[in-house]
Amino acid sequence: MDEEIFKKTPGKTPNLNEYTKNQYSAEKQIEMWNGKINAAHNAIDRHCTTWRKNKIALIWEGEKEERKYTFNDLREETNRFANLLVELGIKKGDRAFIFLPRVPELYIGFLGIVKTGAIAGTMFSAFGPDAIKDRLKDSGASILITNSELKKRVDAVRHELPELRHIILTDSEKATHDTIPFSEAKKMPDKFDVARMDPEENAFMLYTSGTTGKPKGVVHCHWAIMHQHMTAKWVLDLQDDDIYWCTADPGWVTGIAYEILGNWSNGATTLVHEGRFDPEKWYSLIQKHKVTIWYTAPTAIRMLMQSGESYKKYDMSSLRHMCSVGEPLNPEAIRWGIKAFGLAFHDTWWQTETGGMLICNYICLDMKIGSMGKPFPGITASIVDDAGKELPIGEEGNLAIKPGWPSMMKVIWNNPKKYEEYFKGGWYISGDRAKMDKDGYFWFIGRADDVIKTAGERVGPFEVESALIEHKAVAEAGVIGKPDPTRGEIIKAFLKLRPGFSPSPQLENEIKEFIKSRLAGHAYPREIAFVESLPKTRSGKIMRRVLKARELGLPVGDLSTLEEY
Ligand code: WT7
């Protein structure tokens, strides 16, 4: 293995051994009531009995305005909203979902739901009606918070969602036959009796994709905040004088764990940018708010690299620490960070299912550029074979974790069998392939399954294929992730057309638009190839592995089970 090492100078750096000590005295970090807990109380309310009460918790950069909320503001607003939910009949364990862009109501709504003891679910605002239907139907959500524009996509599938009782709209002032304005919360008391939960009780959920089947509802418990708190503290190094910016969307797990829970649990002033990615806007936000800690993703970093040297026009000197997550962080991106900002992006590895960072680079640790780093203290990671047996150092295999860390998913909603499938030979099997070197650093190799990572977002090929065959021209569809220098991977679809349809650029565009509007704006195939036939097993399963090998010009491997080729 080629090793390019980024040396750290010792100084004011977190000492990881402290974590192991502190881990066993959780009460010092997390506030509990005789063994009971609430994650939202820990994120917000408990700061309000300290000097942090009037500290800025949220700096919100909206499209048109900027707003600031102190911890006490958020305590009161989330209490009011929780009271509204109770008035609407919400009960412990109910599912309440949020389908919003990054507006303050998303954050207030999420914490308000968690305060009541219900389960808060999030959906990325690029989702279309099909994706929304799958999630709301499977979770049996009874309450949805959204806005008038996004509600149109819900209306298209509302008849299939009998359990959805209330829709709360952030941008309306008047109740209608099927909606309640979010602003009703203003009339509610600012005090709320926060639900005291068992640590293992459910707090939030979000849907994520696997190789086959519909997206899975990954559910996390209140105790997850313990791990989110500790990792935010030791990996992000959040301190009281920091201005922290996480560029993720709470439709994905990073935006929940480190833009709501772990960050605020540490009392960190957090910047949220409503708008989309834009290099100059991003630099100007860092300059304007004097951002010190920045948590972002490889695709964004690569896009910044490609946008030239515009960072030179802005004052980036406030930055003191940068981290990355979601997909492989290539060495060029790290080298560029060092050149542009004098700082290295610190890679972190984790998943929706793990609820928090597990393998990371740390301020105090020399960085092997290109490695994901080392397991967080208290976490045992290893490389195992398909039977769950540990493999020798340097060998490629399945990246596996010893179960039992505080933010490990508790349930796959409605699907205990899927949950069980993650565990083998006493290990949680991540679905990633990796190796570990002699110094204990982990190196990412790729996914062990067909899951696609496009611009850091996880997409299941089955979901895209199912949406594609809904189009009248498509008879069969096979979908793969094709390597892309900027986005990591792009979605490529191989389509066999129905009789009477023939390939054309118009048809290609029509199909792309169809997927964008039905499934999701980010999960459409950027490339389409029309084919005469698709490689299939005798039982009729499309062999994506063959499509991918052909696309990449690699050996296709054993084809003995192929029926069509
Ligand atoms: C998958 C999980 C964790 C929050 C966002 C993603 C890939 C994640 C890295 C990394 C290489 C990474 C893996 C993983 N991934 N971090 N540092 N290096 N790959 O959560 O959507 O559940 O995706 O993202 O393949 O399994 P997610």
Side-chain angles (χ1 to χ4, degrees):
M1 245 174 250
D2 268 353
E3 280 184 9
E4 184 185 348
I5 296 183
F6 183 68
K7 281 264 179 214
K8 301 298 180 59
T9 31
K12 191 188 140 206
T13 56
N15 175 353
L16 288 183
N17 291 327
E18 293 258 336
Y19 169 80
T20 330
K21 261 195 273 156
N22 285 332
Q23 201 191 11
Y24 300 105
S25 53
E27 66 277 12
K28 279 197 205 151
Q29 301 292 330
I30 293 294
E31 195 163 275
M32 296 183 77
W33 310 283
N34 285 327
K36 300 279 185 185
I37 186 175
N38 189 294
H41 168 84
N42 272 283
I44 304 295
D45 295 12
R46 73 178 158 126
H47 301 304
C48 298
T49 54
T50 73
W51 68 269
R52 289 197 189 111
K53 180 176 180 182
N54 297 316
K55 183 181 173 181
I56 301 296
L58 170 62
I59 305 173
W60 179 66
E61 266 286 345
E63 299 279 24
K64 297 191 196 83
E65 53 169 326
E66 184 200 309
R67 272 191 243 159
K68 289 185 177 165
Y69 295 79
T70 63
F71 279 97
N72 199 49
D73 294 337
L74 287 184
R75 182 179 66 89
E76 292 182 357
E77 299 254 349
T78 53
N79 281 349
R80 288 197 179 96
F81 188 66
N83 278 313
L84 175 65
L85 291 171
V86 168
E87 197 162 286
L88 294 175
I90 204 169
K91 280 194 263 338
K92 198 165 133 175
D94 284 357
R95 279 76 58 213
F97 267 67
I98 305 171
F99 182 39
L100 283 174
R102 289 182 296 277
V103 291
E105 290 85 353
L106 191 171
Y107 302 82
I108 293 163
F110 185 94
L111 291 160
I113 296 165
V114 173
K115 280 187 167 182
T116 67
I119 306 172
T122 59
M123 293 188 294
F124 186 42
S125 56
F127 283 147
D130 288 350
I132 296 161
K133 181 192 69 193
D134 286 345
R135 287 157 176 81
L136 294 181
K137 199 170 176 172
D138 182 69
S139 64
S142 55
I143 293 180
L144 177 70
I145 311 168
T146 187
N147 63 31
S148 324
E149 193 50 40
L150 295 175
K151 178 176 176 286
K152 292 178 192 157
R153 301 187 208 160
V154 184
D155 289 342
V157 292
R158 182 84 193 257
H159 59 286
E160 294 184 65
L161 304 168
E163 289 174 90
L164 182 59
R165 285 188 288 120
H166 300 291
I167 296 186
I168 300 175
L169 287 186
T170 54
D171 59 345
S172 97
E173 293 299 323
K174 265 211 331 268
T176 67
H177 71 285
D178 72 339
T179 65
I180 300 136
F182 195 96
S183 57
E184 278 294 299
K186 288 206 184 89
K187 302 178 191 152
M188 299 287 153
D190 64 11
K191 300 213 167 27
F192 183 74
D193 195 9
V194 176
R196 300 187 169 205
M197 309 293 286
D198 286 332
E200 300 289 307
E201 280 184 297
N202 299 331
F204 67 94
M205 71 189 292
L206 65 185
Y207 280 79
T208 192
S209 301
T211 297
T212 55
K214 296 277 187 192
K216 308 170 274 191
V218 172
V219 189
H220 286 286
C221 67
H222 283 262
W223 186 233
I225 198 164
M226 166 67 182
H227 187 76
Q228 292 155 350
H229 177 94
M230 298 309 273
T231 44
K233 191 179 175 71
W234 297 111
V235 184
L236 298 173
D237 192 33
L238 299 179
Q239 310 279 344
D240 259 319
D241 50 1
D242 279 314
I243 306 289
Y244 163 68
W245 184 24
C246 172
T247 62
D249 187 285
W252 313 113
V253 71
T254 311
I256 294 178
Y258 300 105
E259 205 173 300
I260 300 180
L261 297 174
N263 53 314
W264 279 333
S265 169
N266 279 281
T269 298
T270 301
L271 169 67
V272 167
H273 174 222
E274 181 187 8
R276 290 171 69 95
F277 173 82
D278 175 79
E280 298 240 357
K281 180 73 190 177
W282 277 30
Y283 295 138
S284 75
L285 286 175
I286 291 173
Q287 170 176 285
K288 176 177 173 194
H289 297 289
K290 299 195 169 42
V291 171
T292 56
I293 301 186
W294 190 18
Y295 195 20
T296 189
T299 294
I301 300 169
R302 288 189 290 261
M303 287 180 168
L304 292 174
M305 275 170 80
Q306 286 158 14
S307 74
E309 298 196 325
S310 49
Y311 59 85
K312 289 192 171 157
K313 290 194 261 164
Y314 299 88
D315 181 3
M316 301 284 106
S317 62
S318 57
L319 285 171
R320 70 169 185 90
H321 188 35
M322 315 193 297
C323 294
S324 162
V325 67
E327 36 168 343
L329 178 63
N330 43 318
E332 297 85 298
I334 299 179
R335 288 187 209 112
W336 175 78
I338 296 171
K339 190 180 107 218
F341 312 116
L343 299 167
F345 284 101
H346 287 58
D347 195 12
T348 64
W349 176 90
W350 56 294
Q351 308 175 294
T352 306
E353 293 89 336
T354 73
M357 304 171 188
L358 293 188
I359 298 181
C360 313
N361 288 283
Y362 308 89
I363 293 186
C364 60
L365 189 74
D366 286 347
M367 185 192 286
K368 293 195 187 183
I369 294 185
S371 153
M372 304 191 291
K374 288 190 178 194
F376 191 71
I379 299 296
T380 309
S382 189
I383 304 295
V384 305
D385 66 13
D386 290 343
K389 203 172 114 307
E390 279 189 81
L391 291 170
I393 282 168
E395 245 176 68
E396 170 181 338
N398 301 300
L399 174 54
I401 312 291
K402 268 277 168 247
W405 69 95
S407 62
M408 186 174 94
M409 62 168 173
K410 284 291 164 295
V411 181
I412 296 285
W413 195 257
N414 283 339
N415 203 339
K417 202 172 132 265
K418 264 268 173 335
Y419 188 80
E420 291 307 319
E421 281 169 16
Y422 280 92
F423 301 91
K424 235 175 243 146
W427 293 96
Y428 161 84
I429 309 291
S430 67
D432 283 355
R433 313 245 335 140
K435 28 188 180 181
M436 187 184 82
D437 70 16
K438 62 178 187 342
D439 302 316
Y441 285 76
F442 283 78
W443 300 75
F444 181 82
I445 291 170
R447 287 288 306 187
D449 54 21
D450 294 337
V451 165
I452 299 166
K453 266 290 169 145
T454 180
E457 284 155 1
R458 186 161 154 185
V459 174
F462 178 80
E463 264 187 280
V464 185
E465 288 163 359
S466 309
L468 281 164
I469 55 174
E470 299 277 308
H471 190 277
K472 61 182 187 307
V474 180
E476 290 172 7
V479 162
I480 61 161
K482 176 182 170 180
D484 179 82
T486 306
R487 292 187 159 77
E489 286 183 318
I490 55 160
I491 300 172
K492 175 155 188 175
F494 296 84
L495 304 179
K496 181 177 162 183
L497 294 178
R498 286 185 187 283
F501 291 91
S502 44
S504 71
Q506 288 81 347
L507 181 61
E508 192 177 319
N509 278 335
E510 192 190 304
I511 293 172
K512 287 180 186 172
E513 287 308 316
F514 179 78
I515 299 301
K516 275 192 209 171
S517 65
R518 292 299 312 170
L519 184 65
H522 68 284
Y524 75 96
R526 281 175 189 266
E527 273 185 32
I528 289 180
F530 296 107
V531 294
E532 291 297 317
S533 72
L534 286 165
K536 272 190 250 139
T537 60
R538 288 201 183 99
S539 58
K541 219 175 112 200
I542 291 166
M543 294 187 79
R544 301 187 191 113
R545 150 177 95 72
V546 175
L547 290 172
K548 188 145 182 172
R550 276 193 207 153
E551 178 68 33
L552 303 182
L554 297 171
V556 283
D558 179 15
L559 295 178
S560 58
T561 58
L562 269 193
E563 178 71 4
E564 280 179 51
Y565 187 53

Short mmCIF file of all heavy atoms in Angstrom, two decimals, residues 208-209 252-255 295 298 324-329 347-354 356-357 359 371-372 428 430-433 444-447 451 453 456-459, ligand 1:
data_model
loop_
_atom_site.label_atom_id
_atom_site.label_comp_id
_atom_site.label_asym_id
_atom_site.label_seq_id
_atom_site.Cartn_x
_atom_site.Cartn_y
_atom_site.Cartn_z
N THR A 208 -33.59 4.00 3.77
CA THR A 208 -32.38 3.92 2.99
C THR A 208 -32.46 2.71 2.06
O THR A 208 -33.29 1.83 2.27
CB THR A 208 -31.13 3.87 3.89
OG1 THR A 208 -29.97 4.08 3.09
CG2 THR A 208 -31.00 2.55 4.62
N SER A 209 -31.61 2.70 1.04
CA SER A 209 -31.75 1.69 -0.01
C SER A 209 -30.77 0.55 0.13
O SER A 209 -29.64 0.74 0.56
CB SER A 209 -31.54 2.35 -1.36
OG SER A 209 -32.47 3.37 -1.53
N TRP A 252 -31.18 13.00 4.99
CA TRP A 252 -30.20 11.91 5.13
C TRP A 252 -29.68 11.93 6.56
O TRP A 252 -29.79 12.93 7.26
CB TRP A 252 -29.04 12.09 4.14
CG TRP A 252 -29.47 12.39 2.76
CD1 TRP A 252 -29.28 13.56 2.08
CD2 TRP A 252 -30.21 11.53 1.85
NE1 TRP A 252 -29.82 13.47 0.82
CE2 TRP A 252 -30.40 12.24 0.66
CE3 TRP A 252 -30.71 10.23 1.95
CZ2 TRP A 252 -31.08 11.71 -0.44
CZ3 TRP A 252 -31.37 9.70 0.86
CH2 TRP A 252 -31.55 10.42 -0.32
N VAL A 253 -29.04 10.83 6.94
CA VAL A 253 -28.69 10.66 8.35
C VAL A 253 -27.68 11.70 8.86
O VAL A 253 -27.74 12.11 10.02
CB VAL A 253 -28.23 9.21 8.63
CG1 VAL A 253 -26.87 8.94 8.02
CG2 VAL A 253 -28.27 8.89 10.10
N THR A 254 -26.77 12.15 8.01
CA THR A 254 -25.77 13.13 8.48
C THR A 254 -26.46 14.39 9.00
O THR A 254 -26.05 14.97 10.01
CB THR A 254 -24.79 13.51 7.35
OG1 THR A 254 -24.32 12.32 6.74
CG2 THR A 254 -23.63 14.32 7.87
N GLY A 255 -27.50 14.80 8.29
CA GLY A 255 -28.22 16.01 8.68
C GLY A 255 -28.98 15.85 9.99
O GLY A 255 -29.31 16.85 10.65
N TYR A 295 -18.28 20.41 7.91
CA TYR A 295 -18.49 18.97 7.65
C TYR A 295 -19.21 18.86 6.32
O TYR A 295 -20.34 19.30 6.18
CB TYR A 295 -19.33 18.38 8.78
CG TYR A 295 -19.33 16.85 8.86
CD1 TYR A 295 -18.35 16.08 8.25
CD2 TYR A 295 -20.31 16.18 9.59
CE1 TYR A 295 -18.35 14.69 8.36
CE2 TYR A 295 -20.32 14.79 9.70
CZ TYR A 295 -19.34 14.06 9.08
OH TYR A 295 -19.34 12.68 9.18
N PRO A 298 -17.46 14.48 -0.31
CA PRO A 298 -16.49 14.47 -1.41
C PRO A 298 -17.00 15.10 -2.71
O PRO A 298 -16.24 15.82 -3.36
CB PRO A 298 -16.19 12.98 -1.58
CG PRO A 298 -16.36 12.42 -0.21
CD PRO A 298 -17.52 13.16 0.37
N SER A 324 -15.25 15.15 6.23
CA SER A 324 -15.98 14.71 5.04
C SER A 324 -16.63 13.36 5.31
O SER A 324 -16.13 12.57 6.10
CB SER A 324 -14.99 14.61 3.87
OG SER A 324 -15.52 13.83 2.82
N VAL A 325 -17.72 13.11 4.64
CA VAL A 325 -18.41 11.82 4.76
C VAL A 325 -19.24 11.49 3.53
O VAL A 325 -19.63 12.39 2.78
CB VAL A 325 -19.36 11.79 5.98
CG1 VAL A 325 -20.53 12.73 5.82
CG2 VAL A 325 -19.90 10.37 6.23
N GLY A 326 -19.52 10.21 3.35
CA GLY A 326 -20.55 9.80 2.41
C GLY A 326 -20.07 8.95 1.26
O GLY A 326 -20.84 8.17 0.71
N GLU A 327 -18.83 9.09 0.87
CA GLU A 327 -18.28 8.34 -0.26
C GLU A 327 -16.77 8.47 -0.16
O GLU A 327 -16.27 9.27 0.65
CB GLU A 327 -18.82 8.91 -1.59
CG GLU A 327 -18.98 10.39 -1.52
CD GLU A 327 -19.22 11.07 -2.85
OE1 GLU A 327 -18.97 10.47 -3.90
OE2 GLU A 327 -19.60 12.23 -2.81
N PRO A 328 -16.05 7.71 -0.97
CA PRO A 328 -14.59 7.77 -0.84
C PRO A 328 -14.05 9.19 -1.05
O PRO A 328 -14.44 9.87 -2.00
CB PRO A 328 -14.10 6.83 -1.93
CG PRO A 328 -15.26 5.95 -2.26
CD PRO A 328 -16.49 6.75 -1.99
N LEU A 329 -13.18 9.60 -0.15
CA LEU A 329 -12.56 10.92 -0.25
C LEU A 329 -11.21 10.71 -0.93
O LEU A 329 -10.29 10.16 -0.34
CB LEU A 329 -12.38 11.52 1.15
CG LEU A 329 -11.70 12.87 1.21
CD1 LEU A 329 -12.52 13.94 0.50
CD2 LEU A 329 -11.48 13.28 2.67
N ASP A 347 -11.53 12.43 6.66
CA ASP A 347 -12.57 11.51 6.23
C ASP A 347 -13.21 10.81 7.44
O ASP A 347 -12.52 10.51 8.42
CB ASP A 347 -11.94 10.45 5.30
CG ASP A 347 -12.98 9.68 4.51
OD1 ASP A 347 -14.15 10.10 4.50
OD2 ASP A 347 -12.61 8.66 3.89
N THR A 348 -14.51 10.58 7.36
CA THR A 348 -15.22 9.79 8.37
C THR A 348 -16.08 8.76 7.65
O THR A 348 -16.64 9.07 6.60
CB THR A 348 -16.14 10.67 9.25
OG1 THR A 348 -17.17 11.25 8.43
CG2 THR A 348 -15.36 11.79 9.93
N TRP A 349 -16.15 7.58 8.20
CA TRP A 349 -16.97 6.52 7.58
C TRP A 349 -18.09 6.11 8.52
O TRP A 349 -17.86 5.86 9.71
CB TRP A 349 -16.12 5.28 7.27
CG TRP A 349 -16.95 4.15 6.73
CD1 TRP A 349 -17.25 3.89 5.42
CD2 TRP A 349 -17.65 3.14 7.49
NE1 TRP A 349 -18.08 2.79 5.32
CE2 TRP A 349 -18.33 2.32 6.57
CE3 TRP A 349 -17.76 2.87 8.86
CZ2 TRP A 349 -19.12 1.22 6.96
CZ3 TRP A 349 -18.55 1.79 9.25
CH2 TRP A 349 -19.22 0.98 8.31
N TRP A 350 -19.27 6.06 8.00
CA TRP A 350 -20.41 5.50 8.73
C TRP A 350 -21.58 5.36 7.78
O TRP A 350 -21.42 5.55 6.57
CB TRP A 350 -20.75 6.34 9.96
CG TRP A 350 -21.04 7.80 9.74
CD1 TRP A 350 -20.15 8.76 9.31
CD2 TRP A 350 -22.28 8.48 9.94
NE1 TRP A 350 -20.77 9.98 9.25
CE2 TRP A 350 -22.07 9.84 9.64
CE3 TRP A 350 -23.54 8.08 10.39
CZ2 TRP A 350 -23.09 10.80 9.73
CZ3 TRP A 350 -24.54 9.03 10.49
CH2 TRP A 350 -24.31 10.37 10.17
N GLN A 351 -22.74 4.97 8.30
CA GLN A 351 -23.90 4.68 7.45
C GLN A 351 -25.19 5.07 8.17
O GLN A 351 -25.20 5.25 9.39
CB GLN A 351 -23.99 3.17 7.21
CG GLN A 351 -22.73 2.53 6.70
CD GLN A 351 -22.88 1.02 6.62
OE1 GLN A 351 -23.03 0.35 7.62
NE2 GLN A 351 -22.85 0.50 5.41
N THR A 352 -26.27 5.12 7.40
CA THR A 352 -27.58 5.35 7.99
C THR A 352 -27.81 4.39 9.16
O THR A 352 -28.27 4.78 10.23
CB THR A 352 -28.68 5.12 6.93
OG1 THR A 352 -28.38 5.93 5.80
CG2 THR A 352 -30.05 5.48 7.46
N GLU A 353 -27.45 3.14 8.95
CA GLU A 353 -27.70 2.10 9.95
C GLU A 353 -26.85 2.29 11.21
O GLU A 353 -27.24 1.84 12.28
CB GLU A 353 -27.38 0.72 9.36
CG GLU A 353 -28.30 0.26 8.25
CD GLU A 353 -27.82 0.69 6.85
OE1 GLU A 353 -27.07 1.69 6.76
OE2 GLU A 353 -28.20 0.02 5.88
N THR A 354 -25.67 2.90 11.06
CA THR A 354 -24.77 3.00 12.23
C THR A 354 -25.09 4.22 13.09
O THR A 354 -24.59 4.33 14.20
CB THR A 354 -23.28 3.04 11.82
OG1 THR A 354 -22.99 4.32 11.24
CG2 THR A 354 -22.91 1.93 10.86
N GLY A 356 -24.11 7.01 13.54
CA GLY A 356 -23.06 7.95 13.91
C GLY A 356 -21.74 7.45 13.33
O GLY A 356 -21.65 6.32 12.83
N MET A 357 -20.71 8.30 13.42
CA MET A 357 -19.41 7.98 12.83
C MET A 357 -18.78 6.78 13.54
O MET A 357 -18.83 6.70 14.77
CB MET A 357 -18.46 9.16 13.03
CG MET A 357 -18.97 10.47 12.49
SD MET A 357 -17.82 11.75 13.06
CE MET A 357 -18.68 13.21 12.54
N ILE A 359 -15.65 4.99 11.85
CA ILE A 359 -14.22 4.95 11.50
C ILE A 359 -13.84 6.34 11.01
O ILE A 359 -14.48 6.88 10.11
CB ILE A 359 -13.95 3.88 10.41
CG1 ILE A 359 -14.35 2.51 10.97
CG2 ILE A 359 -12.48 3.91 9.97
CD1 ILE A 359 -14.13 1.36 10.03
N SER A 371 -7.02 6.93 3.46
CA SER A 371 -7.62 5.96 4.40
C SER A 371 -8.79 6.61 5.14
O SER A 371 -8.81 7.82 5.35
CB SER A 371 -6.55 5.51 5.40
OG SER A 371 -7.17 5.12 6.61
N MET A 372 -9.75 5.78 5.54
CA MET A 372 -10.91 6.31 6.29
C MET A 372 -10.56 6.57 7.74
O MET A 372 -11.35 7.11 8.49
CB MET A 372 -12.07 5.31 6.23
CG MET A 372 -12.46 4.95 4.80
SD MET A 372 -13.99 4.04 4.72
CE MET A 372 -13.53 2.46 5.44
N TYR A 428 -21.77 -7.08 12.88
CA TYR A 428 -22.65 -6.32 12.00
C TYR A 428 -21.90 -6.18 10.68
O TYR A 428 -20.77 -5.69 10.65
CB TYR A 428 -22.94 -4.93 12.61
CG TYR A 428 -23.46 -3.93 11.59
CD1 TYR A 428 -24.81 -3.90 11.27
CD2 TYR A 428 -22.59 -3.06 10.93
CE1 TYR A 428 -25.28 -3.01 10.31
CE2 TYR A 428 -23.05 -2.17 9.98
CZ TYR A 428 -24.40 -2.14 9.68
OH TYR A 428 -24.86 -1.27 8.72
N SER A 430 -21.37 -4.49 7.20
CA SER A 430 -21.75 -3.16 6.70
C SER A 430 -22.24 -3.13 5.26
O SER A 430 -22.92 -2.20 4.86
CB SER A 430 -20.56 -2.21 6.83
OG SER A 430 -19.54 -2.63 5.92
N GLY A 431 -21.82 -4.13 4.46
CA GLY A 431 -22.13 -4.05 3.03
C GLY A 431 -21.02 -3.38 2.23
O GLY A 431 -21.08 -3.29 1.01
N ASP A 432 -19.98 -2.91 2.93
CA ASP A 432 -18.82 -2.32 2.25
C ASP A 432 -17.66 -3.31 2.26
O ASP A 432 -17.52 -4.11 3.19
CB ASP A 432 -18.35 -1.05 2.97
CG ASP A 432 -19.24 0.14 2.68
OD1 ASP A 432 -20.16 0.01 1.85
OD2 ASP A 432 -19.02 1.20 3.29
N ARG A 433 -16.82 -3.23 1.22
CA ARG A 433 -15.58 -4.01 1.21
C ARG A 433 -14.42 -3.08 1.56
O ARG A 433 -14.40 -1.92 1.16
CB ARG A 433 -15.33 -4.62 -0.18
CG ARG A 433 -16.55 -5.28 -0.73
CD ARG A 433 -16.54 -6.75 -0.94
NE ARG A 433 -15.33 -7.47 -1.14
CZ ARG A 433 -15.12 -8.68 -0.58
NH1 ARG A 433 -16.02 -9.20 0.23
NH2 ARG A 433 -14.03 -9.34 -0.85
N PHE A 444 -11.08 1.92 2.27
CA PHE A 444 -12.32 1.56 1.58
C PHE A 444 -12.01 0.97 0.20
O PHE A 444 -11.15 1.48 -0.50
CB PHE A 444 -13.18 2.82 1.43
CG PHE A 444 -14.50 2.60 0.75
CD1 PHE A 444 -15.59 2.13 1.47
CD2 PHE A 444 -14.67 2.90 -0.60
CE1 PHE A 444 -16.83 1.94 0.86
CE2 PHE A 444 -15.90 2.71 -1.22
CZ PHE A 444 -16.98 2.23 -0.49
N ILE A 445 -12.74 -0.06 -0.18
CA ILE A 445 -12.55 -0.63 -1.52
C ILE A 445 -13.79 -0.43 -2.39
O ILE A 445 -13.71 0.03 -3.52
CB ILE A 445 -12.15 -2.11 -1.43
CG1 ILE A 445 -10.72 -2.19 -0.84
CG2 ILE A 445 -12.18 -2.78 -2.81
CD1 ILE A 445 -10.26 -3.55 -0.48
N GLY A 446 -14.95 -0.75 -1.88
CA GLY A 446 -16.18 -0.56 -2.67
C GLY A 446 -17.35 -1.19 -1.95
O GLY A 446 -17.20 -1.73 -0.85
N ARG A 447 -18.50 -1.13 -2.55
CA ARG A 447 -19.67 -1.79 -1.97
C ARG A 447 -19.60 -3.27 -2.29
O ARG A 447 -19.12 -3.67 -3.36
CB ARG A 447 -20.96 -1.22 -2.59
CG ARG A 447 -21.35 0.16 -2.13
CD ARG A 447 -21.85 0.24 -0.73
NE ARG A 447 -22.96 -0.66 -0.42
CZ ARG A 447 -23.62 -0.62 0.75
NH1 ARG A 447 -23.30 0.27 1.68
NH2 ARG A 447 -24.60 -1.46 0.97
N VAL A 451 -25.64 -1.40 -4.41
CA VAL A 451 -26.07 -0.07 -4.00
C VAL A 451 -25.24 1.00 -4.71
O VAL A 451 -24.02 0.87 -4.84
CB VAL A 451 -25.97 0.07 -2.46
CG1 VAL A 451 -26.07 1.53 -2.03
CG2 VAL A 451 -27.06 -0.76 -1.79
N LYS A 453 -23.87 4.95 -5.11
CA LYS A 453 -23.62 6.18 -4.37
C LYS A 453 -23.41 7.28 -5.38
O LYS A 453 -22.36 7.35 -6.03
CB LYS A 453 -22.34 6.00 -3.53
CG LYS A 453 -22.62 5.54 -2.13
CD LYS A 453 -23.24 6.66 -1.39
CE LYS A 453 -23.81 6.28 -0.08
NZ LYS A 453 -23.66 7.36 0.89
N GLY A 456 -22.80 11.13 -3.29
CA GLY A 456 -22.89 10.82 -1.86
C GLY A 456 -24.25 10.30 -1.44
O GLY A 456 -24.45 9.90 -0.31
N GLU A 457 -25.23 10.31 -2.34
CA GLU A 457 -26.57 9.87 -1.97
C GLU A 457 -26.79 8.42 -2.37
O GLU A 457 -26.40 7.99 -3.44
CB GLU A 457 -27.62 10.82 -2.56
CG GLU A 457 -27.64 12.10 -1.75
CD GLU A 457 -28.14 13.33 -2.46
OE1 GLU A 457 -28.51 13.25 -3.63
OE2 GLU A 457 -28.13 14.39 -1.82
N ARG A 458 -27.41 7.70 -1.45
CA ARG A 458 -27.52 6.25 -1.61
C ARG A 458 -28.78 5.93 -2.40
O ARG A 458 -29.88 6.35 -2.02
CB ARG A 458 -27.58 5.66 -0.21
CG ARG A 458 -27.56 4.17 -0.13
CD ARG A 458 -27.14 3.83 1.30
NE ARG A 458 -27.62 2.55 1.73
CZ ARG A 458 -27.46 2.07 2.95
NH1 ARG A 458 -26.84 2.80 3.87
NH2 ARG A 458 -27.91 0.88 3.27
N VAL A 459 -28.63 5.22 -3.49
CA VAL A 459 -29.77 4.91 -4.35
C VAL A 459 -29.79 3.40 -4.60
O VAL A 459 -28.76 2.80 -4.92
CB VAL A 459 -29.66 5.66 -5.69
CG1 VAL A 459 -30.76 5.23 -6.65
CG2 VAL A 459 -29.71 7.18 -5.47
C1 WT7 B 1 -22.49 4.20 2.58
C2 WT7 B 1 -23.52 4.63 3.61
C3 WT7 B 1 -22.82 8.22 6.73
C4 WT7 B 1 -23.62 9.30 6.33
C5 WT7 B 1 -23.90 9.43 4.89
C6 WT7 B 1 -23.98 8.14 4.13
C7 WT7 B 1 -20.48 5.00 1.77
C8 WT7 B 1 -19.88 6.55 3.68
C9 WT7 B 1 -17.74 6.76 3.38
C10 WT7 B 1 -16.36 7.03 3.37
C11 WT7 B 1 -16.15 5.62 1.51
C12 WT7 B 1 -18.25 5.89 2.40
C13 WT7 B 1 -20.35 3.52 2.10
C14 WT7 B 1 -21.43 3.32 3.13
N1 WT7 B 1 -19.58 5.79 2.60
N2 WT7 B 1 -18.79 7.15 4.15
N3 WT7 B 1 -15.81 7.86 4.28
N4 WT7 B 1 -15.60 6.44 2.42
N5 WT7 B 1 -17.44 5.32 1.47
O1 WT7 B 1 -24.88 7.23 4.69
O2 WT7 B 1 -26.41 6.90 2.77
O3 WT7 B 1 -26.27 5.21 4.63
O4 WT7 B 1 -24.43 5.47 2.98
O5 WT7 B 1 -21.83 5.35 2.07
O6 WT7 B 1 -20.61 2.75 0.96
O7 WT7 B 1 -21.87 1.99 3.24
P1 WT7 B 1 -25.58 6.20 3.77
#
